[in-house]
Amino acid sequence: MGVDLLKIKVIVADDNSLIREGMKIILSTFEEFEVLATVMDGQEAVKYCEQYTVDVALLDVRMPNMNGLEATKLIRERTSAKCLILTTFDDDTFIEDALKYGASGYLLKNNDPEKIRDAIRTVYNGHHVLQDTVLDKMRSGFSLSPRYEDGAKNAGYSFDTSPFTERELKIMALIAKGLTNREIAEKLFISEGTVANHVTSILGKTGFAHRTQIAIYYLTGEGK
């Protein structure tokens, strides 16, 4: 009983029974997970999370009765469960809505089991995770991007800019575009060491652990 309490409690919501059961089998091979239930739509996922203690809900996007995005919004509003979207769709609107509604991650189903395991761990520990291709879409600029074309403070930011210097905001913008420290240094005409110091400062002010979280926060305001 004591060991079970230490496990990450997960539910899987997908309208495809093969995927539901397959995911349950895969996750059950990892000792740190306990798959509490598999459900076939978002409505059932919300109901389950309201009735039981769930750590992470894995949600598909397109499901009958209630899709995964609507379920994410309600689960985040009504429960302490964190939501990880696990889907085949990398549509821009889905990604944007998932983050807006409070999803802690967006991952495609074609990942290997270890990547999915790591994503659940990351989400459980209070961090965000995005598929590389999803982050690339954000960087290339779907509907969130016009507000973030430069590092100047303006009303378009969806997060509090007051803790950051102008230089830090510029560096956050360049991180969000996928630039390395070396590339940022060349663009801003400063040393790579100075960039590293600024990145460390940003991580300290946000409480984040890595650059990807900075990018997500800059692009969406989410990640705290």
Side-chain angles (χ1 to χ4, degrees), residues 158-210:
S158 58
F159 62 92
D160 180 13
T161 62
S162 60
F164 308 104
T165 65
E166 292 286 353
R167 176 56 58 83
E168 286 171 346
L169 287 170
K170 289 179 181 178
I171 288 174
M172 290 169 75
L174 296 174
I175 289 174
K177 290 181 178 180
L179 274 65
T180 65
N181 281 5
R182 178 174 295 180
E183 291 168 334
I184 293 172
E186 292 174 353
K187 193 170 185 68
L188 298 182
F189 304 103
I190 56 179
S191 73
E192 193 172 344
T194 299
V195 174
N197 289 338
H198 283 302
V199 172
T200 299
S201 174
I202 293 166
L203 292 173
K205 291 177 180 179
T206 57
F208 296 151
H210 50 75

Side-chain angles (χ1 to χ4, degrees), residues 42-61:
Q43 207 167 61
E44 291 185 8
V46 173
K47 185 176 180 181
Y48 193 94
C49 289
E50 288 178 324
Q51 293 179 338
Y52 303 96
T53 300
V54 176
D55 294 319
V56 180
L58 299 184
L59 306 164
D60 190 16
V61 170

Side-chain angles (χ1 to χ4, degrees), residues 8-202:
I8 300 173
K9 295 175 172 58
V10 179
I11 66 166
V12 179
D14 200 296
D15 61 333
N16 185 315
S17 61
L18 289 177
I19 291 177
R20 281 200 310 271
E21 296 310 311
M23 190 58 59
K24 179 178 181 179
I25 292 170
I26 289 171
L27 295 181
S28 296
T29 64
F30 299 110
E31 291 186 356
E32 69 236 73
F33 300 133
E34 179 185 355
V35 182
L36 299 176
T38 61
V39 298
M40 66 175 294
D41 61 43
Q43 207 167 61
E44 291 185 8
V46 173
K47 185 176 180 181
Y48 193 94
C49 289
E50 288 178 324
Q51 293 179 338
Y52 303 96
T53 300
V54 176
D55 294 319
V56 180
L58 299 184
L59 306 164
D60 190 16
V61 170
R62 290 183 179 172
M63 295 184 288
N65 300 319
M66 181 186 293
N67 66 40
L69 304 180
E70 294 170 325
T72 293
K73 186 174 186 294
L74 294 178
I75 289 171
R76 294 301 295 141
E77 287 176 351
R78 301 176 183 178
T79 79
S80 62
K82 297 179 174 67
C83 296
L84 172 60
I85 300 295
L86 188 62
T87 185
T88 57
F89 305 102
D90 63 350
D91 181 272
D92 291 353
T93 304
F94 290 156
I95 299 166
E96 181 176 356
D97 285 346
L99 295 172
K100 181 173 68 177
Y101 292 156
S104 296
Y106 199 106
L107 207 63
L108 301 182
K109 290 177 180 175
N110 60 2
N111 282 283
D112 58 47
E114 288 73 22
K115 182 74 177 282
I116 296 172
R117 175 201 63 197
D118 292 345
I120 296 173
R121 281 179 181 167
T122 299
V123 168
Y124 173 73
N125 287 312
H127 304 303
H128 281 64
V129 61
L130 287 181
Q131 182 96 21
D132 290 344
T133 55
V134 170
L135 190 55
D136 287 343
K137 276 178 173 286
M138 295 174 69
R139 287 167 174 161
S140 65
F142 59 84
S143 58
L144 289 171
S145 63
R147 295 175 293 176
Y148 309 108
E149 286 303 314
D150 58 52
K153 293 182 180 179
N154 60 71
Y157 283 96
S158 58
F159 62 92
D160 180 13
T161 62
S162 60
F164 308 104
T165 65
E166 292 286 353
R167 176 56 58 83
E168 286 171 346
L169 287 170
K170 289 179 181 178
I171 288 174
M172 290 169 75
L174 296 174
I175 289 174
K177 290 181 178 180
L179 274 65
T180 65
N181 281 5
R182 178 174 295 180
E183 291 168 334
I184 293 172
E186 292 174 353
K187 193 170 185 68
L188 298 182
F189 304 103
I190 56 179
S191 73
E192 193 172 344
T194 299
V195 174
N197 289 338
H198 283 302
V199 172
T200 299
S201 174
I202 293 166

